[in-house]
Amino acid sequence: MAEEKTAREKNEAAKQQADVKPAVVDFTDLTKKNQDYMFHLDKELDQRKYAQKNEALSKVHAELLEKQKTGIVATKLYGPVTKKADEIIAGPKKPAKIPTLWEMALDNGLMMFALFCAMYAIFGVFSKNSNQTNAGIITLIATSVVAGIGLGYFYRQMLGQQKQRNWGRVILNVIILVAAWMAVFGLVGIIPPSVNVVLPPVAYATLAIIAFAVRIYVKKRLDIPNPADLARQTNDNNKK
């Protein structure tokens, strides 16, 4: 019985060893810089006691072996070793979400509305003639809507892959949007002051605060990233 038990234990131990993947230690097919990077990445994952280290190193090794054919080094492809280790442990990043035109138009429209309200509040305090038609509430709303749509379109065009951008078309559309904004501003200017009411500075300041708070809520609710962050994520994805 003892001999059978010992044999069974040896078989189980052998089976467990067979299931364990061998450590990835041979990076001799990489360049010296890439070998050094993989060595430190191996050490970093060891220090963090990452269970799937061997599998992760195998994937990085295979990808790096292919990329180095075009002269790319690991530090340029992955960044610092600690950053790559963080990405491996945290798992793959979700692809960057590009908001729809109307989401970006809403976000930018609220931003412009808040800025215009703050500007009107300041002008209302320091301007002697505070009843100017071009400072009316209808002017503010109309120009904010047009500016929001224009900026939303512009950002979406800039977030496309560079090879797919038709710069001539982008510039033409931007010119059209600027012309539309100026036309709306001019048309609203003929609306009589009795309709295009100029609010007191305090009211504009209050609207600016409300618009800013609503924008923060909308960004969180719709998960709208900042254009700069979104552009950086999109460019990183396009490089891969």
Side-chain angles (χ1 to χ4, degrees):
M1 294 291 293
E3 292 180 355
E4 292 180 358
K5 184 177 180 180
T6 303
R8 186 167 61 251
E9 290 176 350
K10 288 182 179 179
N11 291 334
E12 291 178 355
K15 184 178 179 181
Q16 290 177 356
Q17 286 183 344
D19 292 337
V20 176
K21 294 182 179 179
V24 180
V25 294
D26 184 12
F27 304 128
T28 55
D29 50 358
L30 299 176
T31 63
K32 293 295 183 182
K33 290 184 178 180
N34 290 341
Q35 286 182 38
D36 184 67
Y37 187 94
M38 293 299 297
F39 171 78
H40 286 92
L41 181 60
D42 188 349
K43 186 177 179 181
E44 182 71 21
L45 293 175
D46 260 340
Q47 291 178 350
R48 302 192 189 191
K49 298 180 180 179
Y50 183 58
Q52 287 86 28
K53 183 195 74 169
N54 295 341
E55 182 180 352
L57 289 176
S58 296
K59 291 181 179 179
V60 175
H61 172 255
E63 182 180 23
L64 191 55
L65 184 62
E66 182 66 24
K67 294 290 185 179
Q68 76 176 9
K69 295 178 182 178
T70 58
I72 296 177
V73 295
T75 51
K76 184 177 180 180
L77 182 62
Y78 302 124
V81 170
T82 52
K83 178 184 176 182
K84 183 58 180 176
D86 290 339
E87 292 178 356
I88 291 173
I89 295 173
K93 287 184 177 180
K94 295 181 179 179
K97 173 203 170 186
I98 299 181
T100 65
L101 173 61
W102 298 113
E103 287 175 340
M104 298 197 78
L106 177 61
D107 177 46
N108 288 287
L110 286 170
M111 178 185 68
M112 297 305 298
F113 184 81
L115 290 176
F116 285 148
C117 282
M119 181 180 67
Y120 284 4
I122 295 172
F123 286 172
V125 171
F126 295 101
S127 177
K128 294 181 180 179
N129 184 14
S130 60
N131 291 322
Q132 295 177 355
T133 303
N134 61 1
I137 187 65
I138 295 179
T139 303
L140 187 151
I141 294 173
T143 53
S144 296
V145 169
V146 175
I149 295 173
L151 286 173
Y153 171 82
F154 177 77
Y155 284 138
R156 279 184 60 83
Q157 290 295 311
M158 293 301 100
L159 291 173
Q161 294 186 0
Q162 293 185 1
K163 293 181 180 180
Q164 296 178 349
R165 291 177 190 162
N166 186 334
W167 287 103
R169 182 179 178 183
V170 171
I171 294 173
L172 177 61
N173 287 332
V174 169
I175 293 174
I176 293 173
L177 288 168
V178 171
W181 185 82
M182 295 179 66
V184 169
F185 191 84
L187 290 173
V188 174
I190 66 177
I191 298 176
S194 59
V195 178
N196 192 14
V197 180
V198 177
L199 302 178
V202 175
Y204 282 130
T206 303
L207 287 175
I209 295 172
I210 294 174
F212 183 74
V214 171
R215 181 174 182 252
I216 294 176
Y217 171 79
V218 168
K219 286 180 75 71
K220 291 182 178 180
R221 181 71 176 179
L222 300 179
D223 191 23
I224 302 175
N226 293 321
D229 296 336
L230 187 56
R232 183 166 53 252
Q233 292 177 18
T234 304
N235 289 333
D236 289 342
N237 290 340
N238 290 340
K239 291 178 181 178
K240 294 181 179 180

